[in-house]
Amino acid sequence: MSSSGEHPPRPSGRAGVIPRSSEATTAGAVALVARRRVAQPNGWWGMALFVASEATLFGTLIATYFYLDFNAPRWPPAGIKAPSVVLPLIATAVLVSTTVPMFLSVRAARAGYAGLAARFVGAALLVQCIYLAGQILLFRHDLNDFRPDQSAYASIYFTTLAAHHAHVLLGILLNGWVAARIGIGGLTTYRLTAVRCVALYWYVVNALAVLVVLTQLSPSL
Amino acid sequence: MATLITPSAERHVELLEQVWAERQGVLGWLTTTDHKRIGILYFFTSLAFFAAGGVEALLIRTQLVGPNGHVLSPAAFDEMFTMHGITMIFLFVIPMTTGAFGNYLIPLMIGARDMAFPRMNAVSYWIFLGSGIFMYIGLVTGHAPNSGWFDYVPLASKQFDPGNNIDFYGYGLIFNGISSTAAAINFIVTIFKLRAPGMSLNRMPLFCYAFLAVSFSLVFALPALSMACVFLELDRQLGFHFYDVSNGGDPLLWQNLFWIFGHPEVYIIILPAFGIATSIIPTFVRRKMVAFPLVALAEIMVAFLGFGVWVHHMFAVGLATITTIYFAAASLIIVIPSAIQLFAWIATILTGTPIFKTPLLFIIGFILFFMIGGLSGVTVAAIPFDQQVEDSYYIVAHFHFVIFGAAVFPILGGMYYWFPKVTGRMYHEGVGKVSFYLTFTGTLVTFFPMHILGILGMPRRVYTYPAHMGWTFLNLLESIGSYVLASGLILIVVNLAVSLFRGPLAGNDPFEGDTLEWSTTSPPPPYNYPLIPTVSSPYAMWDKEDRELDNRRLARGEGLLARGHETPASTVQDAEWDEILHMPPHSAWPPVVGLTLTGMFLMLLLHHYEIAAGFLVAGGLALLAWHNKEYAG
Amino acid sequence: MATVLLSGCGKQSILSFKSPQTHQITLLWWWMLAAASIVFLGAVVMLTVAWFRRGTRGLPFLGERETLTEGLVVLFGMGIPVVALVALFGVANLYVIKNSEAPDPRTTALTVVVTGRQWWWEVSYPGTRAVTANEIHIPVRTRVDVIALTADVIHSFWVPQLARKIDMVPGRRNRILLYASRPGIYRGQCAEFCGLQHANMALEVVAEPASAFRSWLSRMAAPAASTASASTGKSLFMSLQCASCHQIRGTAAQATVGPDLTHLMSRRTLAGNTIPNTPADLAAWIHNPQAIKPGALMPDLGLSSTQVSELVSYLETLR
């Protein structure tokens, strides 16, 4: 327990010491900072705004999908099968399930359990890699049936999927980095914020995955 | 009153000076994460682009001085008006207001020592610089974008614009958007979390409200533009069909996506100007802003409502009447918050005791021009009238009054106002007044006749016009006006440049300003404030007891936060002190990331996709190295 | 203002309206201008008063009363604008707009199809074989349905004296009402940036008595009268690249890339209303179109002056 903080100049309704968060480099100190802090850390706000921006990007993609859909006499156009429903929904469920280990990793990190937090992230990472590998195979399979340079439907279909997969890939890289940093180097306040941020990223990406799959499957639903 | 550094305070301050000592020389500027240095970098870079955009404008006006001009070929003319629009909006106004003014002033106004993410702040600048150079490479190589700043398809498609002109636009705007998004996120988190403990949201200066509104707008508007450009480049490079009719696409998709960004963009342009105006007015009329809460609310409402009006740029496209009527109604509603602000400013000037120094003169000019631009904007919310004057010089008049008159005049006034704070020297007031009258007259003579030309039927974006149309005299007048305007602007730059070296020392607070930046030295030290200031109202400098309290605290060495680059973080609403953050002193990674991104976009443009991927990976590795050094959090 | 009034009789001015639709729009404009001037003048007066009273705090006559000042801000910033804007909305967007909407086809007596092309206007009359370019004839005081199409990029059809503008968007079949109250020749111009020669894409609408219109229309529908004269020019036309772009109905030239030339001499202007239709101008155009309209899709064919004058002699027969 370090007393490397300051006493607030006026009564602030909270007794005690204001933490110098970057001086918390042991798991216990980090857990203490996490308990004392009232507001969300800056990094969390930054990630929240970043995912708001990315969500708006996907909003634009989804809006474009339905704009082109409403404009078209036939959707999908003649020659393209309506998408199959079962496999994409199962895959999405698999991805969404990784929300659980991400959530648990945050709980573990806040309580000061670095190794456990890293393992939860690792578990999520494994499932997400399997998901992405499967999705890439499906993507290539679709490309054999119809190509984005043939119709507006194909253009928006493949672009939306590619955008989603790119975000999953970014999340996988973030997970790898966070798991390594915490698993090997231990917890600091910075890395606690990092795992919270990456978890937030995944919550939003997973929610968007549901919206994306429902959009893409809308002709068949 | 400014914070006094008494002898007993001096040794505390010395400690801070040591901790916050800045790297000197070119390396220091390259690796800086100090918001003030970054603000200065943004200032000079956007000023250079302002000059470039100005030259483009003068070339246009010279070509149009008479009928059948031969100054610019049709192809060159098309590149000039396109680059003029792109430069002024993306490379001048936004970077100048958010990057220069915002970066320099926001931490100072909220009593903080830096932005929430200093390294991201730096990378925003380097990305801006990279994107500006990227787009200008197009101009320099004779392949500048050439189908207007809003770049309608199919004219901008591969079929009708086969060279890589449009690719400089498409990739360039995606590139530029990364900078603005990062900057916006930085501002929001800074304003939310880094305010001095005690500066609850209702004690925050109006300047900060304007920047909060701008930043949220940027975060939610830019994705539409980025996706529009992604679709454009996919169509152009890979043969996708988002915008082409023959395969299920729609050119109006571009228009909708563009204007969903484009309309909030114009409020993004003007909101910081509102913020500057609401800083200058109280200082020079020596009274607090009338109806402060209403003005703050109005600033936020403008940003919010701005997302619901975009189709008013498309009234002539042939949409269903009911659609146009809805968007016209929304466009009229948005007049109200602007009108409230306008009358609040006028009421403050009327009920105060104004000193008509140069900064206030520019704000008076701003008020008058904002009224003209706003009123012409109201007239085009009348759909049938818009369907006559859309795409004519009437619209050119409207947007130049609101962009130049209403966004740039506060920038010019703000340059004068904060010049003493940033440089420590005072500008020449007499020359300042002359520069105002020249600029004001030039603006009026250049842009007012354009209303008339539009009514007389002159379309916009024409490289010439016939002699017998009755447009010749007004065009001549406008061109003369543009030279007068240019001379006024040059005089401003000369005044400030000469005053930089020869102006008298200004002291901390030459104007008896109302906000916190006037309490520290001119220029501020790297750590901004020797101690985190006490705040009880949005007019911190006019709260004498608080400033005296700070003097006593400093003498006791209280609240220094000198164990490294430290600044407090507080809760969002009530600004209760929450933690102490440790800021980076400098970092080499931001310019590296800027460089790798520039390389990536250049390679995309040249169709070297593997090398582009390589640059992306390099950028990712630089980001990893960046996050190896853990700060703030 | 003097300039406005003096040149109000300009060639493309919305102030010299010649149809009920544009009359209403311009009337609306004058009212809006009056209201805007009053508001602006009001602000100027307030700021002038501020200057004169710069040593005194508080409102003129009313003194330093903060709540009253705030109330005035709300009155001027919200109360009065709401009333004015609602009135404007009602008049402009519920009433005047009815005249500028696309007409019900059952209420129109004639249909004209105008297709925007880089950088000229193709004009045809459905139900007839009439095809021409850059010059539209309509009977005066007749409701005409204009169908606005494009063959390439977005253009905009704008004849300010007669009607509001309408964009020509690929994939859309936009329509507006064209109605001329008086006979005359009305200039229009493309109002959506469409490339290099957007500035020189103009047209004329000729409103004439119904009988004159009918004879014009039947003339436009007829093929070119075959003549024995100017046969050199005609064979040059067919053998050089002219026929690969231009149609002359009644001959072997059937391409529709460029304007239909069957009745070229019936038109007052050439090259999208850029130059007058005189033999000298026509010769200059054929000799080097790029000098007159750089970027136009008609190439410089490198013709000798003899070839040019032969061609002109032939084209002069296409009445």
Side-chain angles (χ1 to χ4, degrees):
Chain A
M1 291 247 225
S2 78
S3 57
S4 63
E6 293 268 325
H7 288 271
R10 290 188 302 285
S12 64
R14 284 173 46 227
V17 170
I18 310 286
R20 282 190 155 86
S21 356
S22 43
E23 291 184 6
T25 47
T26 65
V30 170
L32 187 65
V33 168
R35 278 202 299 279
R36 295 233 62 247
R37 237 180 349 202
V38 172
Q40 302 289 13
N42 290 359
W44 183 91
W45 272 106
M47 178 56 82
L49 291 163
F50 174 69
V51 293
S53 169
E54 299 300 287
T56 311
L57 267 176
F58 277 95
T60 312
L61 282 162
I62 292 172
T64 301
Y65 181 97
F66 287 112
Y67 180 93
L68 293 170
D69 181 348
F70 291 150
N71 263 357
R74 222 182 115 160
W75 186 266
I80 301 177
K81 301 193 302 282
S84 63
V85 170
V86 177
L87 201 53
L89 283 177
I90 293 176
T92 308
V94 166
L95 181 68
V96 171
S97 73
T98 64
T99 304
V100 174
M102 291 310 298
F103 175 74
L104 292 173
S105 78
V106 171
R107 292 264 306 259
R110 281 185 118 135
Y113 299 113
L116 187 60
R119 283 195 290 280
F120 274 128
V121 173
L125 175 61
L126 186 62
V127 175
Q128 287 150 359
C129 285
I130 294 170
Y131 167 84
L132 188 60
Q135 289 290 65
I136 291 176
L137 286 173
L138 282 175
F139 192 92
R140 293 176 61 168
H141 176 261
D142 281 338
L143 273 175
N144 279 335
D145 283 342
F146 59 105
R147 300 185 54 82
D149 55 4
Q150 289 169 340
S151 65
Y153 172 83
S155 297
I156 187 63
Y157 179 91
F158 284 106
T159 305
T160 308
L161 271 184
H164 166 65
H165 298 334
H167 281 77
V168 171
L169 176 62
L170 176 60
I172 287 173
L173 293 172
L174 288 171
N175 268 358
W177 169 72
V178 157
R181 285 301 264 168
I182 295 181
I184 299 174
L187 262 184
T188 64
T189 315
Y190 190 87
R191 291 172 208 168
L192 167 62
T193 306
V195 81
R196 291 190 57 191
C197 290
V198 175
L200 176 61
Y201 177 86
W202 274 112
Y203 302 155
V204 174
V205 166
N206 291 348
L208 289 174
V210 173
L211 291 178
V212 162
V213 82
L214 288 178
T215 303
Q216 303 272 83
L217 297 183
S218 59
S220 306
L221 292 173
Chain B
M1 99 203 216
T3 316
L4 289 174
I5 314 286
T6 57
S8 52
E10 251 187 56
R11 60 187 172 84
H12 301 299
V13 167
E14 252 172 50
L15 177 59
L16 276 171
E17 294 275 341
Q18 276 167 23
V19 169
W20 284 80
E22 279 184 319
R23 257 187 190 170
Q24 294 310 308
V26 174
L27 196 61
W29 284 88
L30 267 178
T31 60
T32 187
T33 55
D34 172 20
H35 70 101
K36 299 183 291 299
R37 281 190 160 188
I38 293 171
I40 291 173
L41 286 172
Y42 262 105
F43 177 80
F44 283 108
T45 310
S46 41
L47 204 62
F49 281 118
F50 188 37
V55 167
E56 285 148 8
L58 288 176
L59 283 170
I60 292 171
R61 283 313 327 159
T62 312
Q63 163 69 11
L64 294 173
V65 72
N68 306 308
H70 290 288
V71 172
L72 294 171
S73 69
F77 183 87
D78 296 346
E79 292 190 6
M80 281 303 121
F81 79 72
T82 305
M83 287 308 289
H84 170 73
I86 293 173
T87 303
M88 289 308 201
I89 291 177
F90 295 103
L91 302 177
F92 164 59
V93 158
I94 306 284
M96 176 62 87
T97 54
T98 58
F101 282 84
N103 264 326
Y104 198 99
L105 293 168
I106 293 279
L108 282 167
M109 283 202 189
I110 61 175
R113 288 199 166 136
D114 208 328
M115 298 278 283
F117 304 117
R119 290 175 296 180
M120 189 164 83
N121 200 12
V123 87
S124 295
Y125 169 72
W126 296 110
I127 291 178
F128 154 58
L129 178 67
S131 71
I133 292 175
F134 177 86
M135 287 193 267
Y136 266 78
I137 287 175
L139 182 64
V140 162
T141 58
H143 295 285
N146 55 6
S147 37
W149 87 276
F150 46 83
D151 200 56
Y152 281 177
V153 291
L155 186 62
S157 69
K158 200 79 175 171
Q159 182 186 359
F160 295 101
D161 215 322
N164 54 11
N165 311 49
I166 301 303
D167 302 327
F168 280 104
Y169 175 91
Y171 290 128
L173 289 187
I174 296 171
F175 192 8
N176 183 271
I178 300 173
S179 166
S180 298
T181 306
I185 293 177
N186 219 342
F187 280 119
I188 293 173
V189 183
T190 303
I191 293 173
F192 273 176
K193 293 292 306 293
L194 260 62
R195 300 195 311 278
M199 187 187 280
S200 51
L201 275 179
N202 61 327
R203 293 176 183 167
M204 187 170 78
L206 285 168
F207 184 91
C208 303
Y209 274 100
F211 272 78
L212 199 56
V214 152
S215 303
F216 272 106
S217 262
L218 277 166
V219 167
F220 289 109
L222 279 169
L225 176 67
S226 303
M227 279 328 292
C229 290
V230 167
F231 293 163
L232 179 67
E233 288 304 320
L234 286 172
D235 271 15
R236 287 178 56 85
Q237 307 306 332
L238 299 180
F240 283 36
H241 296 291
F242 288 102
Y243 301 129
D244 85 271
V245 170
S246 44
N247 287 286
D250 186 1
L252 292 186
L253 175 63
W254 168 268
Q255 292 195 22
N256 275 301
L257 287 175
F258 185 87
W259 290 116
I260 286 173
F261 152 77
H263 196 83
E265 170 73 354
V266 311
Y267 293 109
I268 288 167
I269 287 172
I270 201 137
L271 275 166
F274 292 166
I276 296 174
T278 50
S279 300
I280 291 179
I281 290 174
T283 301
F284 284 92
V285 309
R286 269 105 47 100
R287 66 147 290 164
K288 301 180 178 179
M289 181 67 64
V290 170
F292 177 106
L294 264 186
V295 175
L297 185 63
E299 281 175 354
I300 293 172
M301 288 307 293
V302 163
F304 179 70
L305 291 172
F307 278 87
V309 303
W310 80 90
V311 174
H312 71 219
H313 299 267
M314 296 163 62
F315 278 162
V317 149
L319 301 171
T321 306
I322 188 73
T323 310
T324 56
I325 289 178
Y326 167 78
F327 281 96
S331 306
L332 287 170
I333 291 173
I334 209 173
V335 171
I336 302 296
S338 300
I340 294 235
Q341 288 191 73
L342 210 51
F343 286 104
W345 299 324
I346 294 177
T348 309
I349 297 174
L350 188 56
T351 56
T353 47
I355 307 172
F356 289 94
K357 290 207 164 144
T358 307
L360 187 64
L361 287 178
F362 274 98
I363 300 304
I364 304 285
F366 149 74
I367 288 176
L368 292 171
F369 289 150
F370 183 47
M371 285 212 93
I372 296 178
L375 288 166
S376 64
V378 169
T379 62
V380 291
I383 298 167
F385 180 68
D386 179 87
Q387 289 166 339
Q388 274 284 36
V389 297
E390 164 66 14
D391 274 313
S392 75
Y393 261 82
Y394 186 93
I395 294 294
V396 179
H398 162 67
F399 66 69
H400 278 100
F401 270 100
V402 281
I403 296 185
F404 194 90
V408 176
F409 265 64
I411 291 175
L412 302 174
M415 279 166 58
Y416 275 111
Y417 181 49
W418 282 294
F419 177 83
K421 174 54 55 182
V422 175
T423 65
R425 293 191 179 263
M426 184 52 85
Y427 62 84
H428 191 290
E429 178 61 38
V431 175
K433 291 204 165 81
V434 171
S435 74
F436 164 73
Y437 286 114
L438 271 176
T439 320
F440 183 86
T441 311
T443 305
L444 207 53
V445 174
T446 307
F447 298 116
F448 195 84
M450 292 185 181
H451 293 108
I452 304 172
L453 271 181
I455 299 270
L456 296 181
M458 182 171 175
R460 62 184 288 197
R461 299 173 157 183
V462 289
Y463 76 90
T464 190
Y465 51 92
H468 53 84
M469 294 301 298
W471 299 337
T472 308
F473 172 68
L474 289 173
N475 269 289
L476 173 64
L477 196 60
E478 290 166 9
S479 298
I480 293 173
S482 69
Y483 290 114
V484 172
L485 175 56
S487 67
L489 293 171
I490 291 172
L491 190 58
I492 295 175
V493 173
V494 166
N495 187 356
L496 296 180
V498 171
S499 303
L500 182 61
F501 297 106
R502 306 232 306 238
L505 292 178
N508 290 8
D509 189 14
F511 301 123
E512 287 178 62
D514 55 328
T515 40
L516 273 173
E517 73 273 20
W518 302 105
S519 74
T520 188
T521 58
S522 301
Y527 47 87
N528 291 351
Y529 299 105
L531 81 166
I532 303 305
T534 314
V535 173
S536 321
S537 85
Y539 306 95
M541 279 301 285
W542 295 348
D543 294 329
K544 301 285 181 241
E545 295 95 36
D546 284 344
R547 306 278 67 77
E548 274 156 12
L549 173 64
D550 277 349
N551 286 334
R552 292 198 294 277
R553 287 172 59 215
L554 180 62
R556 292 199 293 268
E558 234 181 74
L560 273 184
L561 297 185
R563 270 161 67 159
H565 286 224
E566 295 189 320
T567 199
S570 47
T571 59
V572 175
Q573 190 167 331
D574 291 320
E576 286 185 10
W577 196 353
D578 203 37
E579 60 180 314
I580 296 171
L581 303 173
H582 197 74
M583 295 288 175
H586 50 71
S587 173
W589 297 112
V592 171
V593 171
L595 216 55
T596 57
L597 271 181
T598 310
M600 182 186 88
F601 279 103
L602 275 171
M603 291 302 124
L604 281 175
L605 182 96
L606 296 171
H607 312 289
H608 297 316
Y609 297 116
E610 294 86 8
I611 308 182
F615 272 112
L616 183 63
V617 170
L621 292 172
L623 278 174
L624 269 182
W626 166 331
H627 284 91
N628 207 28
K629 280 259 170 55
E630 299 181 353
Y631 294 103
Chain C
M1 271 347 269
T3 330
V4 175
L5 294 169
L6 284 173
S7 29
C9 333
K11 289 194 165 178
Q12 225 166 263
S13 166
I14 78 171
L15 300 179
S16 46
F17 47 83
K18 291 294 188 293
S19 78
Q21 176 193 128
T22 49
H23 183 178
Q24 278 200 326
I25 293 176
T26 303
L27 211 56
L28 176 64
W29 155 247
W30 288 124
W31 279 105
M32 292 194 294
L33 179 64
S37 306
I38 293 171
V39 173
F40 183 70
L41 221 57
V44 170
V45 164
M46 282 191 241
L47 288 171
T48 313
V49 170
W51 188 81
F52 279 110
R53 289 185 81 250
R54 59 192 182 280
T56 324
R57 299 183 79 82
L59 292 166
F61 308 117
L62 299 165
E64 280 186 78
R65 292 161 66 175
E66 198 64 20
T67 327
L68 178 62
T69 313
E70 288 173 7
L72 286 171
V73 167
V74 174
L75 177 67
F76 282 100
M78 188 146 64
I80 295 175
V82 164
V83 172
L85 296 176
V86 167
L88 173 65
F89 180 81
V91 171
N93 298 335
L94 298 176
Y95 172 63
V96 173
I97 200 173
K98 293 200 176 312
N99 259 346
S100 52
E101 290 178 295
D104 184 341
R106 291 168 301 181
T107 66
T108 57
L110 176 70
T111 307
V112 183
V113 173
V114 184
T115 306
R117 307 175 74 128
Q118 283 178 318
W119 291 282
W120 56 282
W121 309 86
E122 181 185 294
V123 179
S124 65
Y125 292 76
T128 74
R129 281 196 234 259
V131 178
T132 183
N134 304 322
E135 193 174 292
I136 304 172
H137 285 235
I138 58 173
V140 72
R141 284 179 291 276
T142 309
R143 289 171 64 87
V144 177
D145 190 0
V146 172
I147 301 180
L149 307 172
T150 174
D152 41 40
V153 301
I154 298 180
H155 299 276
S156 191
F157 178 81
W158 189 32
V159 186
Q161 293 178 278
L162 298 183
R164 46 148 297 180
K165 65 171 61 69
I166 185 72
D167 285 358
M168 300 158 135
V169 181
R172 292 188 79 88
R173 205 160 179 277
N174 286 335
R175 289 169 40 248
I176 56 163
L177 173 71
L178 203 61
Y179 180 100
S181 311
R182 306 235 227 100
I185 299 175
Y186 305 106
R187 193 178 193 272
Q189 203 168 340
C190 177
E192 183 64 63
F193 179 67
C194 53
L196 285 170
Q197 283 299 325
H198 166 65
N200 288 321
M201 187 171 159
L203 71 144
E204 288 188 328
V205 174
V206 177
E208 51 196 358
S211 48
F213 169 74
R214 276 193 297 274
S215 56
W216 177 87
L217 189 64
S218 50
R219 194 167 126 213
M220 288 303 113
S226 53
T227 58
S229 60
S231 56
T232 330
K234 183 171 178 181
S235 47
L236 270 179
F237 188 95
M238 301 300 160
S239 60
L240 294 170
Q241 291 170 52
C242 317
S244 60
C245 289
H246 292 283
Q247 169 172 274
I248 299 178
R249 285 169 279 139
T251 72
Q254 292 296 306
T256 51
V257 177
D260 182 297
L261 300 179
T262 314
H263 301 285
L264 181 61
M265 288 303 119
S266 73
R267 299 177 210 154
R268 289 168 21 97
T269 65
L270 299 171
N273 196 359
T274 306
I275 48 178
N277 189 353
T278 69
D281 286 289
L282 181 56
W285 173 255
I286 297 173
H287 183 72
N288 191 357
Q290 296 299 313
I292 296 170
K293 223 169 149 174
L297 295 173
M298 176 155 154
D300 177 3
L301 291 168
L303 302 172
S304 70
S305 31
T306 330
Q307 290 173 309
V308 169
S309 61
E310 295 285 356
L311 281 166
V312 169
S313 310
Y314 170 59
L315 293 169
E316 294 279 313
T317 69
L318 300 172
R319 305 211 156 271

